[in-house]
Amino acid sequence: MKNSVIFGLVIGVLSIAWLFIMRASGYNLADSKASPIEYVSILIPLIGLFFGVKNFRDGELKGKMGFLEALIQSFKILLVGGALAVFGGIIFINWINSNGSDTTFQSFSGRIFGALLVGVIEAFAVSLLLTTKSNKVD
């Protein structure tokens, strides 16, 4: 569980930092349309998941990990990182980027749902990539 908390915190902190980077760059976060630079944020959970699951495989499982073990570890990492990112995003919207419009929360919730879908797809990809044990079905 320690591994998933550490790498989940990394994903969460980097996601919150990305909000501030986007705001400092002058991008309008209240707009419901995504700008092309926002797609770079896809790399945050991908890198966190890859190194988190790889560390779990090499450290705790001595290099032998099945697909289901990798997928469960990926979901644990995403759960911690997602909870921290949503909490930080709500604080960001309510106190830091408050401009009195409800559009910001609506666009943010749409982005969070999109991030959830991307995270699940990345969890499957990282799990397939780092699986070392094959399970025979006879």
Side-chain angles (χ1 to χ4, degrees), residues 28-82:
N28 186 8
L29 297 175
D31 191 14
S32 63
K33 295 180 182 175
S35 57
I37 192 70
E38 287 186 65
Y39 294 113
V40 175
S41 65
I42 292 173
L43 296 175
I44 295 171
L46 182 65
I47 292 169
L49 281 173
F50 180 79
F51 287 113
V53 174
K54 187 176 185 317
N55 186 33
F56 179 71
R57 179 191 70 185
D58 296 341
E60 293 184 31
L61 300 178
K62 297 175 181 56
K64 297 185 183 203
M65 181 174 59
F67 175 73
L68 192 58
E69 292 168 314
L71 193 62
I72 290 171
Q73 185 66 21
S74 296
F75 285 150
K76 286 180 189 176
I77 293 171
L78 284 177
L79 185 66
V80 173

Side-chain angles (χ1 to χ4, degrees), residues 17-138:
W18 185 251
L19 285 173
F20 287 100
I21 291 169
M22 291 296 295
R23 182 172 184 245
S25 301
Y27 289 99
N28 186 8
L29 297 175
D31 191 14
S32 63
K33 295 180 182 175
S35 57
I37 192 70
E38 287 186 65
Y39 294 113
V40 175
S41 65
I42 292 173
L43 296 175
I44 295 171
L46 182 65
I47 292 169
L49 281 173
F50 180 79
F51 287 113
V53 174
K54 187 176 185 317
N55 186 33
F56 179 71
R57 179 191 70 185
D58 296 341
E60 293 184 31
L61 300 178
K62 297 175 181 56
K64 297 185 183 203
M65 181 174 59
F67 175 73
L68 192 58
E69 292 168 314
L71 193 62
I72 290 171
Q73 185 66 21
S74 296
F75 285 150
K76 286 180 189 176
I77 293 171
L78 284 177
L79 185 66
V80 173
L84 183 62
V86 168
F87 180 73
I90 289 172
I91 289 175
F92 179 81
I93 287 172
N94 288 330
W95 286 289
I96 297 168
N97 196 33
S98 61
N99 55 4
S101 69
D102 206 23
T103 311
T104 307
F105 187 74
Q106 290 174 353
S107 62
F108 177 73
S109 64
R111 284 183 172 103
I112 287 296
F113 182 71
L116 170 72
L117 293 177
V118 167
V120 169
I121 292 169
E122 288 177 352
F124 276 101
V126 166
S127 298
L128 282 172
L129 186 65
L130 295 176
T131 297
T132 56
K133 285 191 319 189
S134 63
N135 295 332
K136 289 185 176 179
V137 178
D138 290 332

